[in-house]
Amino acid sequence: MSLCKKKRQDDFQKVKLKVGKTKPKADNATNINFRTKGINLTEQLKKDANAPTTHRKLNIKDLLSQLHHYSGTVKQGALVGLRELLTLHPSELDQHLSSLLSEAAAVFTDKDPNVRMSATRLLRFIAQSVPAERTSPFFPLLSAHLSCAMTHIETGIQEDALKVLDVLLDHYPALLAARPALLLNNFLELISHRSTGGGARKGQEGKGRSWALSVNPNRNVTGQQWRLTVLLRLGRFLQAVVEERRAEEGVACVSGDMFSVLNGQGGANAPLELNWEELTYRKGGFQVFEHSGAMPTPHSTFKLRPETEPGAGVSEGLGTGEAVRGFASTLVPLLLDVWVEASASDRSKTDSAHLLTPDAMSLMYQVLSILQLLRKLAPQREYQDTLDVWFRSEYLGDFKQHFMKNFPYGNLDTPKQRRKTDPKRSKQSTTIPGQTVEPLALNVLLCQVMVSMVTLSQREGQAQEPDAEWLMPLRGFVQETLSSGAKLSQRHLHTLLETVWRMVITQRSRAVTEDLLQAVYVQYQQMNLNLQTRTLLLSFYSRLYLQEHNHTHIARSRVLSRWLAALPLQLSQLGHRNPALSDRLLLSIQAAASRGNKALLNSLHTHACRLYDPQEGSVVLLPAESQQRLVQLLYFLPVMSQGLLANLSRCCTAGRVSAGLAASLIRIIHLRSSLSGWSVGSQDMTLRDVDYISFLFSTLTGSDLNHCLCPTHRKCATAWRRWGLVHSALTYGVLVCTHLCACVCNCVSLSQTGLAVVPDSMAAGLLRAVARLLDLSFLPSEPLLRFLSRCCLSLLSLLLTLQQDTAVWGACVAVLSSIPRLLRLVLQSLRVKDLCEEELPQLAQILSLLLQHTALRNHMLANATLLQHIIQDLTRYCRGESKEQWMTDLLYCYSVTMATHRGNLGLRDIY
Amino acid sequence: MSAPMEIVLSADSAGQLWNCAVLELHSGTNLLAYRGGNTSSRSLTVLNGEYILGAQLGKNFINVWEIQRKDQLQQKIVCPGIVTCLTASPNGLYLVAGIADAIYLWEVSSGNLLAILSRHYQDLTCLRFSDDSSHFISGGKDNLALVWSLASVVQLDPSHTPEPRHVLSRHSLPITDIHCGLMGPQARVATASLDQTVKLWELSSGEMLLSVLFDVGIMSVTLDPCEYYLFCGGSDGGIFQVSLCSQSLSRDKTFQSDNEGNQVFKGHRNLVTCLSVSMDGTLLLSGSHDETIRLWDIQSKQSVRSINHKGPVTNALIIPAPANMFLPDSRPGIPLPRFSRHLNPSEQGEGVETGGVCLRLAPHTQSVFGDGENTKVRVSELEEEVRTLKKVNKDLYDFSTQLLTKPS
């Protein structure tokens, strides 16, 4: 009890408070002796397993919904987050493409420049990873937002819209170009405004025009620079339209890129290329389609008339010639204004008006390139000419006045000025992406634009004089640039060559042509040109040459013929270093040779021996296709000299050309000989028969000598194949004539003396040739026959080792059956006495083979006594082993042969 | 015996017995022989079913026979040079000859020389018309084959030199033969060349459809009337058959098993210079430099008949028999005029005796309907047709409105 009491007192002890003493702290007093800091939870803790998120754990839906947030930073963050999400999880892009594009496009017109920038970046990212065909369904939406931004009242948004356009032009040019109508107007409105009132009513009638250049003082760049940025995009856009149109037409690329395509290839249809050997041994058939060769296509290339408007609804913008013309009539005056302003602004600064600041220069360059593109916009090839005529009639005066006034433009660089404007320029250069135009580029482009104006007037027979006057400085400039010897870049050279081409075609004067071509030739003769440039120049000339038929002034050009004459030398000097270039050269040579160009043929003749040299001539160094061209060139050679023929035969035998090619070489030479029955034309009898035949035989002997050096089995097979081909070539027209036989015999006796050992294949070939060539009336001489008989024998013994070789056997049989005396000689030379034991079975086998052959049987019978002697000898010398298989075989054959015809004696006499 | 449907016309370069012979296609019996001179390669042609023309080998004139008078030369057309190839248009209105590197075009009715086309760079080897006479194709030793539209060539326009419609320039050695298929301007053209290829082109667009590379140079080419097969005569005497459409495999599988190497007709021993297929596509005629012509059964690829000649065969063709050929009393519908040697006879002082009007197409009129009289007829026909079409259309419209508006 007392314990309990005490405890109670402990619990409720009274705390005494006294005045003047600090109050003791309560037990439950809060310690406020700490400092706080805010914690931001940027990431959610929740983790959604099915949707991938950014590092902030936001999934794509959150991000997209954040784009509707009022705050600019949130939106920007969302755009950045989207980009991050898509880089981490590219699969998200496929699923959400439509919502992504629509949301991103919606912020093109956002007030905050940072948001717009991020949106552009996001768009670029998407565009990089999504191909055009998958974007195409969303493209109307994108372009609607784009044009909304382009026409926005705020200048900043307008400027950023151009960046969006850049992205689209980079990645989806074809989609943009598909509906050009709306965008073109937007471009116009960016640099000008439509003046309402009198102008509109007059419409497009020449000078009373409805659009005027505008200047917006609010922009943070000068009017000129703004125009430059807009024109740059317009240029690129038009380029895209032109390219898309070209892709549509397909065929047009031939004339579009002048010098790239040489022999009219690249049509819409792919022809079917077949090889007879494949054709014969392939199981399935092939199919040629009615209008398209290898691949089926529903479109026939046969057109009754040009189709009118392929898709009426879509291509309102530039689909027809009239539409292009309408657009041009609005744009060209504006461009002229831009030009005038650009040139005028400089003139105040300097007294020499042809010197330009870089800005003005690039602006002018853009103007010219857009003009050039406008010309190419004509929807069909037929409208091109009418468009050109219209351009000429409408604007030639203006162009002459403005463009030609200070024609060779130069660069204005005074160091003082540059220093002063330096900081400013560095700021501006951020707005204008990499535009520094050299004066050369400007001048060259100007030439091209102006020269394109001249085209058709000449054909219609108008007066030349006014044109010649303003063409003078242009021509002077072109000539000077080309012949100065300076290296030109690929693009400039291409433009210049096109200009020269146009001038040559239109100017139809020989002196002008000569001068221009001479200037190009200076370029051509430069030493270290790279391959592309060289090819460009080469194809310029070869195209020019191929065009010459209706331009006599080109055909008679001395420069051109000098160029042609130099080609064979170049080819031989080039060797194997550059097969592509050699092929180009060969194409031109072949074209000229087939046209019988004197200069070329003479030069070809002088260099023929080098070209066809068996060691380092082009014919053995180049790839197979070029080799074939070279071989075909032989047909056109004016004279076949003995040296050349010797080279050729060594080419054939050296084994560095394929067997097929060697055969076709022989065939071509055969065609040129008088034995072929094909008249070569004016160059008849330039190959003497003697030369031809000596060529054939030197090929024959050489070929086999070479092959007997490496008598592996496979090589033998190829040699035989070649033999067959050569042989067929030989026997074409070479029908039996004694003159030829004499030749053969001479050759044979020659080879007889020259060769101690005759290779097997050659022997067989000789036998075949003799069998085919020999006339019954011709009596072969004794030594020849002896030689042949030896060949025959050795071949027959060879035959026993190579079992299946029917060609050798055929040759032997043919020659033996055609010359009975030869058979007799063979049999006579079978002297059993001189043979050793091991050779007897061989002999017996040969004999039984001969006996078995029906064609020979009669001849064998004629020599029955001889045969009988041999068999008797045989049985005598191998009496011990008469039970051997070969002996019984022989006896059986012999008895059968004899029995069928006479049915008497035979075996009984022997025993 | 009834008159034969199809005949073989052949000529060789020796011309010992006759210039050209007419044989019955199926029996091979010799029906007729035209005498005098000999004919050069690819220059034997039948004009309008009434005359036979053949260029003399190595001379500068063309022999002309009336088709029913085999013994007598009707005329010799003297030309400015040696004629290398010759053909007449299937409608019998124009005659085209290749003389050196130029093509000469005559109008048969007047004998006027309408055009000289010198667009080839070397001698011509072959000329062929399309079956509707609207185009002709020329091949030369400059590796080119040119397609000419006849209408544009005959235009009377001094300032404008005629240009070929297409230039077929993919051969790399001289063209040896050309064959033009049926179907007028939509035909397909086969060209053979020494570069060992045969190429098939589309006439309308000038595009190449097929190129077959052989082991030997090809001297002659032809297509059967259905254009199922391409026959190519090689310079080694083989005739190669290329099937242009794959047969349905299910139907004739048994025949396909042994098709290895059986697409060659073997028999000739030298250049096959001419090929021709009969109208029903069962027989192939070939002429060769081994002095024979052979007739082949296409299905079995066997030589049915071989006929010897005295020299290398220059021409062999199968043609439908002209009506006049076997009627000795018949006369040609129009007498053949004197062919002029110069482009403008009036300037040369010749041809003034004819009081006729020279009717030539103006440069810009369309040549679709031929001459003026025909045009009127044709226009009225077309108007008639338009009227009937309108009527049919209206009937259809009435009928369908009735059907639609009828309360169901």
Side-chain angles (χ1 to χ4, degrees):
Chain A
M1 174 79 185
S2 65
L3 192 90
C4 185
K5 189 110 179 191
K6 194 145 191 191
K7 214 168 204 176
R8 257 185 73 198
Q9 276 175 354
D10 273 355
D11 282 347
F12 300 101
Q13 212 170 26
K14 190 163 184 184
V15 179
K16 293 198 174 149
L17 302 172
K18 288 182 180 166
V19 180
K21 289 199 173 168
T22 50
K23 187 183 170 188
K25 282 210 174 133
D27 283 347
N28 63 348
T30 315
N31 181 9
I32 53 160
N33 198 9
F34 60 85
R35 283 161 63 197
T36 57
K37 270 186 181 170
I39 295 173
N40 266 348
L41 287 179
T42 51
E43 310 170 4
Q44 301 295 316
L45 285 174
K46 69 171 180 189
K47 187 149 190 176
D48 199 350
N50 18 355
T53 53
T54 60
H55 73 273
R56 291 183 175 173
K57 301 285 187 291
L58 290 169
N59 66 14
I60 197 156
K61 281 196 188 119
D62 304 329
L63 289 169
L64 285 176
S65 64
Q66 277 185 5
L67 281 181
H68 296 290
H69 202 271
Y70 59 89
S71 155
T73 27
V74 174
K75 280 193 248 183
Q76 198 197 349
L79 287 168
V80 172
L82 277 175
R83 204 143 63 89
E84 184 205 328
L85 185 66
L86 295 179
T87 27
L88 290 176
H89 308 282
S91 60
E92 289 291 284
L93 192 57
D94 300 337
Q95 292 170 23
H96 300 277
L97 189 60
S98 83
S99 49
L100 264 174
L101 281 178
S102 62
E103 296 296 339
V107 288
F108 286 164
T109 49
D110 199 272
K111 281 194 202 86
D112 192 342
N114 289 328
V115 174
R116 294 197 300 263
M117 201 170 66
S118 308
T120 318
R121 272 199 207 131
L122 178 65
L123 182 69
R124 185 179 292 279
F125 177 76
I126 294 175
Q128 274 163 359
S129 40
V130 180
E133 60 268 17
R134 291 191 44 217
T135 330
S136 55
F138 315 112
F139 210 76
L141 187 74
L142 271 182
S143 63
H145 278 293
L146 173 65
S147 59
C148 178
M150 277 172 84
T151 51
H152 206 274
I153 198 163
E154 266 194 44
T155 52
I157 295 179
Q158 284 184 10
E159 280 160 22
D160 284 340
L162 290 183
K163 282 179 194 146
V164 174
L165 186 69
D166 275 341
V167 174
L168 295 181
L169 276 174
D170 280 343
H171 296 281
Y172 307 118
L175 289 176
L176 263 186
R179 39 182 85 70
L182 199 60
L183 280 177
L184 285 177
N185 255 338
N186 292 344
F187 277 118
L188 290 183
E189 286 189 358
L190 282 179
I191 52 165
S192 60
H193 58 266
R194 193 197 290 266
S195 63
T196 47
R201 218 171 301 131
K202 278 186 195 168
Q204 292 143 356
E205 289 164 19
K207 306 285 184 257
R209 52 179 202 257
S210 53
W211 294 80
L213 277 186
S214 64
V215 176
N216 190 344
N218 292 335
R219 285 187 204 285
N220 51 8
V221 290
T222 64
Q224 232 180 64
Q225 279 166 349
W226 171 243
R227 274 173 215 148
L228 178 57
T229 48
V230 174
L231 288 183
L232 204 62
R233 270 51 174 243
L234 178 58
R236 287 183 61 198
F237 176 67
L238 289 180
Q239 182 71 42
V241 174
V242 168
E243 264 161 23
E244 193 228 11
R245 191 151 288 164
R246 200 173 289 162
E248 248 173 40
E249 280 186 31
V251 191
C253 59
V254 175
S255 58
D257 197 5
M258 288 189 102
F259 311 119
S260 65
V261 186
L262 250 185
N263 43 359
Q265 286 171 352
N269 299 331
L272 190 61
E273 306 266 357
L274 290 174
N275 197 331
W276 175 248
E277 281 177 40
E278 291 169 20
L279 197 65
T280 338
Y281 295 106
R282 195 163 58 173
K283 288 288 172 213
F286 67 94
Q287 191 129 22
V288 189
F289 292 94
E290 187 70 23
H291 299 294
S292 53
M295 302 292 290
T297 166
H299 307 293
S300 166
T301 40
F302 185 64
K303 271 188 216 161
L304 281 173
R305 65 179 154 202
E307 43 192 321
T308 50
E309 273 198 73
V314 185
S315 59
E316 233 177 9
L318 295 169
T320 62
E322 288 72 38
V324 173
R325 194 183 293 184
F327 178 63
S329 64
T330 347
L331 186 60
V332 173
L334 287 178
L335 290 177
L336 282 174
D337 283 355
V338 170
W339 178 281
V340 170
E341 272 189 34
S343 55
S345 61
D346 286 325
R347 203 170 309 157
S348 55
K349 288 180 198 162
T350 54
D351 43 1
S352 49
H354 66 280
L355 296 177
L356 302 172
T357 61
D359 281 349
M361 183 94 65
S362 42
L363 193 58
M364 288 170 153
Y365 183 80
Q366 280 309 317
V367 168
L368 287 176
S369 55
I370 289 174
L371 280 177
Q372 186 63 19
L373 283 170
L374 272 179
R375 272 193 57 248
K376 291 187 195 160
L377 271 179
Q380 257 115 28
R381 208 120 296 279
E382 302 86 76
Y383 292 139
Q384 176 88 61
D385 293 345
T386 53
L387 195 67
D388 278 349
V389 170
W390 176 79
F391 257 109
R392 183 186 160 80
S393 64
E394 203 83 343
Y395 294 115
L396 181 62
D398 291 343
F399 283 5
K400 262 195 293 190
Q401 188 195 337
H402 297 305
F403 296 168
M404 296 301 298
K405 197 161 50 183
N406 309 313
F407 164 53
Y409 292 99
N411 207 348
L412 174 83
D413 50 357
T414 39
K416 211 170 99 192
Q417 258 187 345
R418 176 172 279 180
R419 212 171 299 140
K420 209 191 282 173
T421 52
D422 245 349
K424 203 182 169 192
R425 183 171 301 150
S426 63
K427 208 190 288 167
Q428 287 160 0
S429 64
T430 53
T431 57
I432 307 160
Q435 274 304 301
T436 43
V437 176
E438 315 165 46
L440 180 62
L442 178 71
N443 288 332
V444 164
L445 192 63
L446 182 73
C447 287
Q448 200 185 10
V449 170
M450 288 309 286
V451 165
S452 66
M453 300 293 289
V454 80
T455 49
L456 285 169
S457 59
Q458 302 303 319
R459 202 187 293 173
E460 285 165 10
Q462 288 176 12
Q464 281 194 16
E465 299 315 315
D467 279 344
E469 182 196 331
W470 59 264
L471 273 175
M472 268 303 261
L474 289 176
R475 209 169 61 221
F477 171 76
V478 169
Q479 269 177 37
E480 215 171 277
T481 320
L482 282 171
S483 56
S484 67
K487 284 245 171 62
L488 296 167
S489 78
Q490 176 82 16
R491 227 183 61 230
H492 293 168
L493 190 62
H494 192 273
T495 325
L496 273 173
L497 288 183
E498 274 187 32
T499 314
V500 170
W501 176 270
R502 204 98 198 198
M503 280 183 180
V504 167
I505 295 285
T506 52
Q507 282 293 91
R508 296 186 179 263
S509 114
R510 205 176 144 198
V512 173
T513 312
E514 206 70 13
D515 288 349
L516 285 171
L517 290 185
Q518 181 60 48
V520 180
Y521 200 65
V522 170
Q523 278 287 320
Y524 183 77
Q525 279 179 320
Q526 279 187 351
M527 289 298 285
N528 306 312
L529 293 179
N530 62 359
L531 175 62
Q532 277 180 327
T533 319
R534 181 72 76 188
T535 319
L536 190 68
L537 285 162
L538 197 61
S539 36
F540 169 78
Y541 272 120
S542 56
R543 231 180 99 90
L544 201 66
Y545 179 66
L546 293 182
Q547 283 282 317
E548 50 117 41
H549 55 86
N550 42 12
H551 305 282
T552 47
H553 62 285
I554 300 178
R556 272 193 240 121
S557 160
R558 238 177 293 140
V559 181
L560 201 61
S561 64
R562 206 185 317 152
W563 170 76
L564 277 173
L567 284 181
L569 182 62
Q570 286 169 22
L571 186 66
S572 67
Q573 282 171 347
L574 198 57
H576 62 285
R577 266 165 289 173
N578 195 335
L581 200 60
S582 298
D583 199 46
R584 285 256 154 186
L585 285 171
L586 267 174
L587 267 179
S588 308
I589 293 177
Q590 204 176 18
S594 71
R595 292 168 178 211
N597 186 297
K598 285 260 163 49
L600 177 93
L601 287 178
N602 285 338
S603 137
L604 200 60
H605 176 61
T606 48
H607 297 289
C609 283
R610 277 189 69 183
L611 282 175
Y612 295 98
D613 190 88
Q615 251 72 49
E616 61 252 5
S618 310
V619 75
V620 290
L621 297 175
L622 291 176
E625 200 176 326
S626 306
Q627 283 183 348
Q628 196 182 1
R629 283 187 203 287
L630 266 171
V631 166
Q632 284 171 345
L633 263 184
L634 285 174
Y635 179 87
F636 298 103
L637 266 186
V639 180
M640 287 265 190
S641 64
Q642 282 178 340
L644 176 62
L645 283 171
N647 273 353
L648 286 174
S649 77
R650 264 182 283 146
C651 280
C652 286
T653 56
R656 289 176 74 175
V657 296
S658 66
L661 194 66
S664 67
L665 192 155
I666 293 170
R667 254 183 229 117
I668 283 172
I669 292 178
H670 173 72
L671 271 175
R672 295 197 41 150
S673 70
S674 59
L675 303 167
S676 68
W678 167 266
S679 67
V680 183
S682 52
Q683 1 166 305
D684 266 4
M685 301 308 291
T686 48
L687 176 66
R688 289 183 302 155
D689 290 350
V690 181
D691 291 346
Y692 170 57
I693 287 163
S694 76
F695 161 75
L696 278 185
F697 277 96
S698 55
T699 312
L700 296 187
T701 51
S703 154
D704 304 313
L705 272 178
N706 181 43
H707 277 275
C708 78
L709 291 178
C710 39
T712 59
H713 209 75
R714 214 174 56 76
K715 280 264 170 131
C716 265
T718 57
W720 271 110
R721 188 175 137 63
R722 176 178 297 198
W723 240 108
L725 292 169
V726 169
H727 184 82
S728 64
L730 176 65
T731 49
Y732 270 154
V734 195
L735 286 172
V736 193
C737 60
T738 42
H739 166 68
L740 198 62
C741 270
C743 266
V744 175
C745 301
N746 283 341
C747 279
V748 170
S749 53
L750 256 181
S751 55
Q752 201 182 346
T753 53
L755 300 167
V757 183
V758 179
D760 303 330
S761 49
M762 179 191 167
L766 272 178
L767 292 186
R768 265 175 88 172
V770 167
R772 283 293 268 271
L773 295 177
L774 218 54
D775 198 347
L776 286 176
S777 62
F778 176 74
L779 291 175
S781 62
E782 199 61 27
L784 172 66
L785 276 180
R786 230 173 287 136
F787 170 72
L788 286 177
S789 73
R790 253 181 291 147
C791 286
C792 224
L793 258 184
S794 62
L795 277 183
L796 285 172
S797 57
L798 173 75
L799 202 59
L800 296 176
T801 54
L802 306 161
Q803 283 301 328
Q804 73 283 27
D805 211 336
T806 51
V808 180
W809 173 237
C812 288
V813 166
V815 76
L816 286 176
S817 60
S818 62
I819 315 175
R821 276 179 61 202
L822 189 60
L823 182 65
R824 178 187 292 264
L825 262 180
V826 168
L827 291 177
Q828 277 170 358
S829 60
L830 291 174
R831 258 171 255 131
V832 186
K833 279 173 283 195
D834 306 345
L835 294 173
C836 57
E837 291 275 310
E838 290 79 44
E839 285 168 327
L840 290 178
Q842 279 194 13
L843 176 62
Q845 271 172 319
I846 289 172
L847 274 180
S848 49
L849 271 177
L850 290 176
L851 281 171
Q852 278 166 2
H853 201 271
T854 44
L856 286 177
R857 194 169 284 161
N858 278 329
H859 298 294
M860 291 298 269
L861 286 173
N863 298 317
T865 48
L866 206 53
L867 203 59
Q868 198 178 340
H869 274 297
I870 292 172
I871 291 181
Q872 276 171 351
D873 283 356
L874 263 179
T875 41
R876 192 181 314 141
Y877 277 90
C878 56
R879 192 172 293 142
E881 351 160 15
S882 58
K883 298 284 180 290
E884 290 271 331
Q885 185 62 37
W886 53 266
M887 196 63 211
T888 44
D889 279 356
L890 175 62
L891 290 178
Y892 173 72
C893 286
Y894 182 67
S895 65
V896 165
T897 314
M898 291 299 145
T900 45
H901 284 268
R902 294 195 203 143
N904 55 1
L905 41 135
L907 289 176
R908 239 174 302 137
D909 283 5
I910 299 171
Y911 290 121
Chain B
M1 182 186 107
S2 64
M5 288 291 291
E6 283 182 275
I7 54 163
V8 172
L9 204 58
S10 72
D12 60 48
S13 62
Q16 277 179 2
L17 301 176
W18 25 255
N19 185 319
C20 66
V22 177
L23 311 169
E24 217 275 334
L25 176 64
H26 293 280
S27 66
T29 49
N30 206 331
L31 299 174
L32 292 171
Y34 297 86
R35 282 174 231 290
N38 48 14
T39 305
S40 67
S41 178
R42 306 199 194 293
S43 67
L44 191 68
T45 181
V46 174
L47 175 63
N48 213 9
E50 289 167 344
Y51 296 95
I52 290 184
L53 284 78
Q56 175 68 31
L57 188 67
K59 300 269 171 58
N60 63 340
F61 58 85
I62 300 169
N63 298 314
V64 182
W65 296 267
E66 282 180 26
I67 204 151
Q68 77 283 6
R69 293 166 70 188
K70 56 185 196 267
D71 293 334
Q72 198 178 348
L73 269 183
Q74 198 264 350
Q75 184 182 342
K76 276 183 182 173
I77 302 173
V78 181
C79 298
I82 295 175
V83 182
T84 53
C85 48
L86 175 77
T87 188
S89 68
N91 59 11
L93 296 181
Y94 297 97
L95 186 67
V96 184
I99 297 171
D101 59 353
I103 304 168
Y104 285 63
L105 175 75
W106 285 280
E107 190 179 33
V108 171
S109 56
S110 65
N112 286 341
L113 182 58
L114 297 188
I116 301 174
L117 310 166
S118 39
R119 179 68 170 69
H120 277 285
Y121 293 89
Q122 307 240 3
D123 286 0
L124 280 138
T125 53
C126 191
L127 283 164
R128 289 281 182 266
F129 265 99
S130 68
D131 64 333
D132 66 345
S133 311
S134 65
H135 291 80
F136 63 93
I137 304 122
S138 62
K141 288 183 179 169
D142 54 354
N143 314 351
L144 299 178
L146 308 179
V147 178
W148 303 85
S149 161
L150 190 65
S152 73
V153 169
V154 298
Q155 278 176 7
L156 189 63
D157 185 0
S159 65
H160 159 87
T161 50
E163 275 295 298
R165 202 168 147 186
H166 302 297
V167 179
L168 316 179
S169 63
R170 291 226 199 159
H171 280 293
S172 54
L173 278 179
I175 308 265
T176 51
D177 196 11
I178 297 172
H179 179 87
C180 184
L182 302 176
M183 295 280 280
Q186 302 209 50
R188 298 196 283 183
V189 176
T191 55
S193 164
L194 288 179
D195 64 4
Q196 313 186 0
T197 60
V198 166
K199 297 187 195 290
L200 196 66
W201 313 78
E202 197 185 13
L203 186 62
S204 56
S205 67
E207 285 200 35
M208 189 171 92
L209 302 179
L210 170 74
S211 164
V212 187
L213 176 69
F214 293 91
D215 293 336
V216 294
I218 301 297
M219 307 305 291
S220 53
V221 68
T222 194
L223 289 161
D224 69 332
C226 294
E227 302 184 5
Y228 286 163
Y229 299 112
L230 188 69
F231 298 99
C232 315
S235 53
D236 63 346
I239 301 168
F240 307 101
Q241 175 185 335
V242 180
S243 161
L244 293 185
C245 39
S246 58
Q247 294 103 352
S248 58
L249 289 172
S250 59
R251 203 178 297 165
D252 42 14
K253 198 166 266 175
T254 49
F255 295 108
Q256 287 258 318
S257 58
D258 62 343
N259 79 346
E260 285 192 8
N262 69 350
Q263 288 135 321
V264 187
F265 297 78
K266 284 179 185 142
H268 282 300
R269 286 180 287 113
N270 210 333
L271 315 181
V272 178
T273 51
C274 27
L275 287 171
S276 180
V277 181
S278 69
M279 236 187 303
D280 55 1
T282 57
L283 289 172
L284 172 71
L285 177 78
S286 64
S288 162
H289 270 199
D290 65 2
E291 310 189 356
T292 56
I293 60 173
R294 278 171 187 268
L295 213 54
W296 310 80
D297 179 47
I298 290 176
Q299 186 66 39
S300 62
K301 300 182 181 58
Q302 298 178 73
S303 175
V304 177
R305 182 163 287 111
S306 168
I307 297 155
N308 286 318
H309 279 59
K310 297 290 180 200
V313 178
T314 54
N315 293 276
L317 49 157
I318 298 177
I319 52 167
N324 283 356
M325 188 172 259
F326 305 107
L327 306 172
D329 303 331
S330 62
R331 301 204 148 270
I334 344 154
L336 212 58
R338 182 165 292 281
F339 284 83
S340 67
R341 294 176 63 183
H342 303 284
L343 214 47
N344 282 323
S346 53
E347 284 171 18
Q348 304 295 325
E350 304 168 16
V352 279
E353 72 271 19
T354 56
V357 181
C358 179
L359 198 96
R360 297 281 293 272
L361 297 167
H364 299 297
T365 50
Q366 285 199 329
S367 63
V368 184
F369 298 138
D371 51 7
E373 232 178 80
N374 255 338
T375 316
K376 259 184 221 160
V377 177
R378 193 67 205 269
V379 164
S380 64
E381 270 177 19
L382 287 176
E383 278 171 357
E384 184 67 38
E385 199 170 343
V386 167
R387 241 174 277 135
T388 49
L389 278 177
K390 275 183 179 166
K391 190 170 169 296
V392 169
N393 203 6
K394 190 170 179 305
D395 289 349
L396 191 68
Y397 175 75
D398 287 340
F399 171 72
S400 45
T401 45
Q402 214 173 15
L403 206 69
L404 287 171
T405 52
K406 195 169 67 182
S408 56

